[in-house]
Amino acid sequence: MTQSNEMYNVAILGATGAVGQQMMDTLDRLNFPVDELKLLSSKRSAGKKISFKGKELTVEEAKPESFEGIDLALFSAGGSISKELAPEAVKRGAVVVDNTSAFRMTEGIPLVVPEVNSDALKNHKGIIANPNCSTIQMVAAMEPIRKQFGLKRVIVSTYQAVSGAGNAAVDEMYEQTQQIMNDEPIDPQILPVGGDKKHYQIAFNAVPQIDVFQSNGYTFEEMKMINETKKIMSDESIQVVATCVRIPVETGHSESVYIEVEKEGLTVDTFKNIMKDADGVTLQDDPTQQIYPLATDAQGKDDVFVGRIRQDLDHPKGFHFWVVSDNLLKGAALNSVQIAQSLVEQGLLKK
Amino acid sequence: MTQSNEMYNVAILGATGAVGQQMMDTLDRLNFPVDELKLLSSKRSAGKKISFKGKELTVEEAKPESFEGIDLALFSAGGSISKELAPEAVKRGAVVVDNTSAFRMTEGIPLVVPEVNSDALKNHKGIIANPNCSTIQMVAAMEPIRKQFGLKRVIVSTYQAVSGAGNAAVDEMYEQTQQIMNDEPIDPQILPVGGDKKHYQIAFNAVPQIDVFQSNGYTFEEMKMINETKKIMSDESIQVVATCVRIPVETGHSESVYIEVEKEGLTVDTFKNIMKDADGVTLQDDPTQQIYPLATDAQGKDDVFVGRIRQDLDHPKGFHFWVVSDNLLKGAALNSVQIAQSLVEQGLLKK
């Protein structure tokens, strides 16, 4: 895929987390031209050994000087760490692809889904933001429709997987599930939000809170979907509203998306054909054969899966569809590496 | 609640099913004036013993003559049985409250949620249809808003519990869950739809199919929500579109509902106050305390729980809310018994 023969020194910050692990796998699987790989983490996880391409690497504690000699740094260790260390990495010559919410809405910092707005990378000043997982899969599916028919409004309800809240949340879900199966008492400690006041049962439940509440009654996750969609599509006039819900699925976010297009003439068949041709999208839509996207099928796959495409029977410009993707891959690690690939292809990543 | 001292001979058809059991409990709990109770089922379940108010009753095979002397018959044994036996029951003088989809859209047959349209009972000709579970809780929450602000459109995505597909589906979910926890192979046989061609994993998944697909690409469950909402609200001009999804929850349907009202001036505070005063609705909405409806809290309760009320930041007449209710109670058995209560109160149930 790359147009140069350069090899790059790459750092992964948050290397021991769920996304960090996927970043390493994805660099390897997509054959990204890695010269040296440096694995960074908090002090607590430093010292762990992880192998990459048959070589054992030791995770180091991330410090400003860790980024000396690094060309590309993939960050996924929480917003406050990104705020502290991304400028330090940039100062030392690295380009940072940041998978936290720290810089997503900062003016001048590109927020990129390569299939949608790789052009925005041209203006980067060292930091590039990777959008929120739930946003990425939705905009990847909507963009090819928007290009041809415009996009007036988006109304989305999510069915999000627990791995989006980290490995400890996944452990909590499985432990809680077993306790309920055994008729034992449960003691939620993490979900819906690790640092929040109350914790609720996730096993055999649906919890309409992802991330903390904002003063306007929306959760931060919902505001991310609203604001990031407009920024990625460079159109503040698109009306977006979201309800984000966690359900007991390990990996694979599902979303029920309703859109209203601007132009007349879109049919279900045209919609399906556009999805068939779309980059990074796989159409799974045949009601006669009960074919539709499922979280269990999307796990471990790169694509965004779209199905259940229906025209609103009362509103010819309204369409419902169901979009599923691996939240750790296209929703996080894969999109970050694809941003890096696009930087290389556009000659925007310097040795 | 009743205004007469009459006692009624009541039959429950489908007495051994998940909803039938709840019907019996609800008759008892709401102190419905039952004189004799007759429990009916298919031939397969006949002979089972079930106790009601301390008296052991034997389930009998349902036949046309089973309804001799019955004043009120609550049906919940599948659409084809309702089509066959409801006219027979009516012929013998019973009023039938039917919890299947057999007669819901038949012209002249009232489709009733008592809080919304108990007036429609006045025109009954022997059969009254109980709406679909997912429709009931949504219209119960929307009606008080519609009365004051009108209702232009409804866009709903559901998170439906497995008990809506019957006891065998619940057993499948738990068995499958344990198999996955044990790393054993699974063999889906029932969900998403017992009689359909393919069966998918429900444990740790979200399945966007409830009931069979129609030729227009919608599932029958989605068409029920669309058509029944208009019929219950007696307004064909309301635009309704639905995506219905099964998730691994035993009991308690959750729904993410977006509505657009007709009139200006609705605020989140007004919306909350209207919910506080609404019959059969409990407001659970305080983001600062992480208070919102949860399926696990709604199980076994009569009310429809509403929360996460937010105004669309881009569309002042648009509102998102989250509504949860016990699908076996308000969604089925309770609503059926409430219909019977309303018949008694209106003097429409004769001995």
Side-chain angles (χ1 to χ4, degrees), chain B residues 254-271:
Chain B
S254 304
E255 298 175 357
S256 170
V257 186
Y258 181 88
I259 60 170
E260 230 179 277
V261 295
E262 291 280 2
K263 293 185 198 160
E264 287 186 0
L266 181 57
T267 64
V268 168
D269 281 346
T270 305
F271 199 131

Side-chain angles (χ1 to χ4, degrees), chain B residues 145 148-149 265-276:
Chain B
I145 298 294
Q148 291 191 44
F149 290 90
L266 181 57
T267 64
V268 168
D269 281 346
T270 305
F271 199 131
K272 288 184 182 176
N273 285 330
I274 292 172
M275 290 297 106
K276 271 183 203 158

Side-chain angles (χ1 to χ4, degrees), chain A residues 197 200 218 256 288 290 311, chain B residues 197 200 218 288 290 311:
Chain A
K197 283 168 286 197
Y200 297 119
Y218 285 80
S256 169
T288 67
Q290 292 175 264
Q311 192 162 23
Chain B
K197 284 168 283 196
Y200 297 119
Y218 285 80
T288 66
Q290 293 175 263
Q311 191 162 25

Side-chain angles (χ1 to χ4, degrees), chain B residues 212-228:
Chain B
V212 292
F213 280 99
Q214 312 294 286
S215 57
N216 63 3
Y218 285 80
T219 60
F220 189 39
E221 185 84 355
E222 289 159 355
M223 292 311 300
K224 288 177 210 164
M225 291 194 83
I226 293 168
N227 293 326
E228 294 179 17

Side-chain angles (χ1 to χ4, degrees), chain A residues 153 155-159 173-174 177-178 181-182 192 196-198 200-201 203-209 213 216-219 222-223 226 230 238-245 247-250 254 256 258 260 287-296 299 308 310-315 320 322, chain B residues 153 155-159 173-174 177-178 181-182 192 196-198 200-201 203-209 213 216-219 222-223 226 230 238-245 247-250 254 256 258 260 287-296 299 308 310-315 320 322:
Chain A
R153 69 194 296 189
I155 295 161
V156 55
S157 299
T158 70
Y159 303 67
M173 175 183 76
Y174 284 124
T177 300
Q178 193 58 66
M181 301 287 293
N182 296 349
D196 217 336
K197 283 168 286 197
K198 292 180 188 166
Y200 297 119
Q201 176 180 333
F204 307 109
N205 207 6
V207 181
Q209 183 192 354
F213 280 98
N216 64 3
Y218 285 80
T219 60
E222 289 159 358
M223 292 311 300
I226 293 168
K230 297 177 190 203
I238 302 172
Q239 299 169 16
V240 187
V241 65
T243 295
C244 292
V245 181
I247 62 166
V249 165
E250 179 175 333
S254 304
S256 169
Y258 181 88
E260 230 179 277
T288 67
Q289 300 302 315
Q290 292 175 264
I291 303 291
Y292 36 73
L294 290 170
T296 45
Q299 284 162 17
R308 300 287 344 262
R310 287 150 295 148
Q311 192 162 23
D312 186 336
L313 302 169
D314 293 321
H315 199 295
H320 241 152
W322 179 250
Chain B
R153 68 196 294 191
I155 296 160
V156 55
S157 299
T158 71
Y159 302 67
M173 175 183 75
Y174 283 125
T177 301
Q178 193 58 65
M181 300 288 294
N182 297 349
D196 217 338
K197 284 168 283 196
K198 291 181 189 167
Y200 297 119
Q201 176 180 335
F204 307 109
N205 207 4
V207 181
Q209 183 192 355
F213 280 99
N216 63 3
Y218 285 80
T219 60
E222 289 159 355
M223 292 311 300
I226 293 168
K230 297 177 190 203
I238 302 172
Q239 299 169 17
V240 187
V241 64
T243 295
C244 292
V245 181
I247 61 167
V249 165
E250 180 177 331
S254 304
S256 170
Y258 181 88
E260 230 179 277
T288 66
Q289 300 302 315
Q290 293 175 263
I291 302 291
Y292 36 71
L294 290 170
T296 45
Q299 284 162 16
R308 299 286 344 263
R310 287 150 296 148
Q311 191 162 25
D312 186 337
L313 302 168
D314 293 322
H315 199 295
H320 241 152
W322 179 251

